Amino acid sequence: MSVKDTNSTDKLLKQLESLFKKEITVGLHGDVGGDILSRGIYNEFGTKNIPERSFIRAGYDTEKKNIVNDAEKLTRKVVAMEIKPQTAANLFGDATKGRIQEFAIDLRDPPNAESTIKAKGSSNPLVDTGQMIGAIDYKVKG
């Protein structure tokens, strides 16, 4: 008599190993271009003349509960073998990117200086042309 293994433990372990080897980054990556990257850094950390308007770190901190929830839901889908690890990583990266972009669009404090509002025609501190927020992206390695 032979024994037949009908579970998918080996496949599941390979799926999880693949998922947990993935590194997902969200933000302004170095390939976005010097001007956009510089503006992002100046706003994220502030300068002598520009107040700090953290949109990546503060966006993550504000959305952390939702981001963790997204990761848990997607991991469960990988365990259930409903989606592949690469798909889960891409869905997670895209969702997190969207959360950071929304946070940046909604950020109002500290407000722009009156001279900046007149020059831009808008009081939204991080939105002018939309290039910087549009350049926020995710990358998956591994």
Side-chain angles (χ1 to χ4, degrees):
M1 174 163 86
S2 64
V3 176
K4 185 176 180 181
D5 182 6
T6 58
N7 68 34
S8 302
T9 304
D10 288 341
K11 185 177 179 182
L12 173 61
L13 291 174
K14 286 179 184 174
Q15 293 273 82
L16 288 174
E17 182 180 1
S18 174
L19 179 63
F20 294 138
K21 284 184 177 180
K22 304 239 178 272
E23 178 183 317
I24 305 162
T25 57
V26 178
L28 293 173
H29 295 91
D31 57 358
V32 299
D35 185 48
I36 293 172
L37 188 59
S38 294
R39 280 186 279 145
I41 291 169
Y42 298 154
N43 279 287
E44 182 69 24
F45 299 103
T47 68
K48 181 180 174 187
N49 299 318
I50 299 171
E52 178 179 312
R53 292 184 179 98
S54 174
F55 57 101
I56 295 173
R57 293 172 297 144
Y60 173 82
D61 290 345
T62 300
E63 290 293 324
K64 185 175 181 177
K65 184 177 179 180
N66 293 322
I67 291 168
V68 169
N69 190 39
D70 291 344
E72 290 171 350
K73 283 181 183 177
L74 290 165
T75 300
R76 281 194 292 276
K77 287 183 178 242
V78 170
V79 169
M81 293 189 205
E82 295 173 11
I83 60 174
K84 296 193 177 297
Q86 185 66 42
T87 302
N90 286 330
L91 288 169
F92 177 78
D94 195 51
T96 304
K97 166 186 136 175
R99 291 181 188 287
I100 300 297
Q101 287 174 318
E102 279 186 43
F103 181 86
I105 290 168
D106 294 342
L107 188 77
R108 295 290 189 267
D109 192 45
N112 279 329
E114 280 301 316
S115 59
T116 304
I117 294 170
K118 286 179 185 174
K120 281 176 43 172
S122 163
S123 63
N124 193 323
L126 294 178
V127 178
D128 187 8
T129 65
Q131 286 181 316
M132 185 180 72
I133 292 172
I136 296 170
D137 206 357
Y138 72 94
K139 290 188 180 191
V140 178
K141 296 178 187 172

